[in-house]
Amino acid sequence: MKTLIVYKTNTGFTKEYADILNRRVNDATVVPIEKLNKKLIKESDIIFYGGPLRNNVILGLNKFLKHYDLMEDKDVFIFAVGIQPLDDEKRENVIAANGLEFYHVRLYFLQGGMDLQRMKPLQRKMMMLGLKMASKQNQGVDVELLKERLSTPLNFVSSSNLDRMVDVYHRVILNRKTIVNS
């Protein structure tokens, strides 16, 4: 049973999860989305895709799903990594924003982190611009306090955040083995 873990990362939190997941599953190959190819997909029985979550969109997912015709008979797990807490409304918004209602996949949300130093300069600049705009719109945002808080990196990546997804993965493997042995 071969497993493929594909990821897209901007600040490294999704790659951290991909590496932890690699240690927790069997016979996995880990590749960034840029190295995904048809051969890797065809050789795999179970495929994971992880990407950062920005404004309800899972980055890189469109590129991943372009190959969905090769994955229809496979078990596909998707994990979105973000800083924002998850609720039912957010889950529905992510499903709709990514068109996931049209695919047979399992979707998981994992808490990542926030570290301005890991961001690319343009991302960092956009973040600061957003803070300035919020303060000018008199939304009760204390920009200096936010800058101070954002200067302290937050990292919520944890192996335990993967527990539910890994448990389902192991059940899928057991089911596949049972079907093959029947």
Side-chain angles (χ1 to χ4, degrees):
M1 194 94 25
K2 290 200 72 165
T3 301
L4 175 64
I5 302 170
V6 183
Y7 68 90
K8 160 98 175 118
T9 193
N10 285 342
T11 54
F13 297 109
T14 306
K15 180 162 183 352
E16 285 182 48
Y17 275 120
D19 291 340
I20 294 168
L21 185 60
N22 183 35
R23 292 190 296 270
R24 294 190 60 187
V25 300
N26 302 323
D27 195 22
T29 300
V30 181
V31 297
I33 187 71
E34 298 81 17
K35 301 236 172 144
L36 180 63
N37 61 55
K38 291 179 181 184
K39 182 178 184 244
L40 285 170
I41 295 169
K42 288 177 183 177
E43 291 174 349
S44 302
D45 302 298
I46 300 173
I47 302 171
F48 289 89
Y49 176 77
L53 188 60
R54 299 292 180 269
N55 299 320
N56 294 328
V57 174
I58 304 169
L59 302 184
L61 186 61
N62 282 343
K63 186 172 184 176
F64 175 76
L65 290 175
K66 283 182 182 177
H67 302 286
Y68 188 75
D69 60 319
L70 300 172
M71 299 180 218
E72 287 181 306
D73 64 335
K74 301 176 187 301
D75 286 286
V76 179
F77 293 74
I78 295 174
F79 58 96
V81 180
I83 191 74
Q84 187 177 4
L86 178 69
D87 59 26
D88 289 339
E89 182 180 354
K90 176 80 172 167
R91 181 179 187 78
E92 291 304 315
N93 290 341
V94 170
I95 289 168
N98 293 279
L100 290 176
E101 65 270 19
F102 302 112
Y103 299 94
H104 180 69
V105 298
R106 292 172 174 89
L107 177 62
Y108 298 86
F109 294 89
L110 306 174
Q111 196 168 21
M114 173 66 86
D115 186 345
L116 291 176
Q117 297 309 309
R118 288 186 181 195
M119 291 181 180
K120 294 176 181 157
L122 182 59
Q123 286 177 305
R124 195 169 32 248
K125 190 172 187 165
M126 294 297 285
M127 173 75 76
M128 292 302 145
L129 183 63
L131 291 175
K132 284 181 184 178
M133 287 175 59
S135 70
K136 286 180 181 176
Q137 292 175 357
N138 198 18
Q139 295 180 359
V141 176
D142 182 342
V143 175
E144 292 309 313
L145 178 61
L146 273 175
K147 282 183 183 177
E148 182 182 322
R149 294 247 168 99
L150 289 174
S151 68
T152 303
L154 298 172
N155 187 342
F156 298 107
V157 174
S158 170
S159 181
S160 63
N161 293 343
L162 292 168
D163 287 349
R164 184 166 182 242
M165 186 168 59
V166 171
D167 287 346
V168 172
Y169 165 82
H170 287 293
R171 279 189 261 142
V172 165
I173 286 183
L174 282 175
N175 285 342
R176 281 181 168 260
K177 287 180 180 177
T178 302
I179 291 170
V180 168
N181 292 333
S182 295

